[in-house]
Amino acid sequence: MIDLNADLGEGFGRWTLTDDDALLSVVTSANVACGFHAGDPSVMRRVCDLAAERGVRIGAQVSYRDLAGFGRRAMDVPSGELAAEVAYQIGALRVFAEAAGAEVAYVKPHGALYNRTVHDADQAHAVVAGVRLAGGTLPVLGLPGSLLLDAAAEAGLAAVREAFADRAYTPRGTLVPRREPGAVVTDEDAVVRRALAFAVHGSVETVDGTTVEVAPRSLCVHGDTPNAARIAARVREALETSGVAIGAFA
């Protein structure tokens, strides 16, 4: 069984980016922006209402405080401050999730914070400390082999391995930086093939033609990828046709 997740609620005020309604008809888990890289109270409330109505699990997508840079700019945040900001974001989303009759079921860092916690132990432990500060024992979604998942496991939290059907991988199993050509896979057929490779074989071809083992429990299709909803629907159909069960991990 594999989970399908997407980044949702990435709008702000009159500005919209993700097709939340369409994606919530396909995915089993929704990574909801909590206001630091995108999202505002109205957007968060609407996405939580829709997710709860459709039985989609709600996750807090926490980020550096970087609305202008969409959370994709490198930042140096003291660990104590970062832990508090992670807890703050989880708490904000929890209000809307519970109002919708649901709950925040897991946590996933976004953008620069996600990539930083792959190799930065201080920032990885700060994210986990923020999850613990927010209360409960929420699962943490992250890149296989990352220090974030190590820190989560050490703290007694479920460490959930994630893969990206629409991102290119290095031979080390990390994501190719977005500033490099080909970092985002936009060809729909290629995204579907990669999703099947992850789900069936637990591996994917990297940029140099080698294969890296990933074995994810959750598969992400970015909500801001062009035609994201259509790609996600094709991915789900292909997985189910191949006999892969689709279900939330949380």
Side-chain angles (χ1 to χ4, degrees):
M1 180 180 291
I2 198 164
D3 171 64
L4 288 180
N5 78 73
D7 303 341
L8 301 177
E10 292 182 326
F12 191 86
R14 296 179 63 187
W15 177 71
T16 59
L17 177 63
T18 50
D19 189 348
D20 299 329
D21 189 79
L23 282 165
L24 283 168
S25 297
V26 179
V27 300
T28 47
S29 296
N31 317 316
V32 183
C34 299
F36 271 36
H37 76 280
D40 63 28
S42 294
V43 172
M44 292 162 69
R45 181 177 183 182
R46 179 177 182 276
V47 174
C48 285
D49 285 347
L50 285 171
E53 177 184 307
R54 299 178 188 183
V56 176
R57 303 298 276 170
I58 297 169
Q61 187 163 43
V62 298
S63 170
Y64 287 128
R65 189 191 294 267
D66 181 27
L67 272 176
F70 197 60
R72 287 179 175 160
R73 298 186 293 191
M75 302 182 74
D76 290 313
V77 181
S79 57
E81 183 178 336
L82 179 58
E85 291 189 342
V86 166
Y88 179 92
Q89 293 174 77
I90 295 169
L93 186 64
R94 181 176 285 139
V95 168
F96 299 114
E98 293 181 352
E103 62 183 356
V104 174
Y106 65 95
V107 176
K108 173 185 172 178
H110 166 81
L113 181 57
Y114 187 98
N115 291 320
R116 181 76 169 266
T117 57
V118 170
H119 59 81
D120 189 315
D122 178 75
Q123 299 285 274
H125 282 93
V127 170
V128 171
V131 175
R132 297 299 300 272
L133 181 61
T137 54
L138 296 176
V140 176
L141 191 58
L143 199 72
S146 66
L147 295 183
L148 174 65
L149 292 191
D150 289 345
E154 290 170 10
L157 307 179
V160 184
R161 297 160 62 94
E162 178 184 34
F164 296 85
D166 54 7
R167 290 295 308 276
Y169 278 74
T170 72
R172 295 178 300 164
T174 57
L175 301 179
V176 173
R178 281 182 175 269
R179 63 179 177 274
E180 296 184 14
V184 178
V185 181
T186 57
D187 179 85
E188 294 186 19
D189 292 335
V191 173
V192 171
R193 286 196 302 272
R194 294 166 70 82
L196 287 170
F198 280 127
V200 177
H201 304 295
S203 62
V204 71
E205 184 177 333
T206 70
V207 290
D208 71 353
T210 58
T211 299
V212 64
E213 299 297 320
V214 179
R217 176 63 183 85
S218 186
L219 189 61
C220 179
V221 176
H222 279 93
D224 62 334
T225 298
N227 302 312
R230 186 174 69 200
I231 293 172
R234 287 192 59 190
V235 165
R236 178 160 187 159
E237 180 182 15
L239 291 172
E240 291 177 331
T241 299
S242 297
V244 177
I246 309 296
F249 66 84

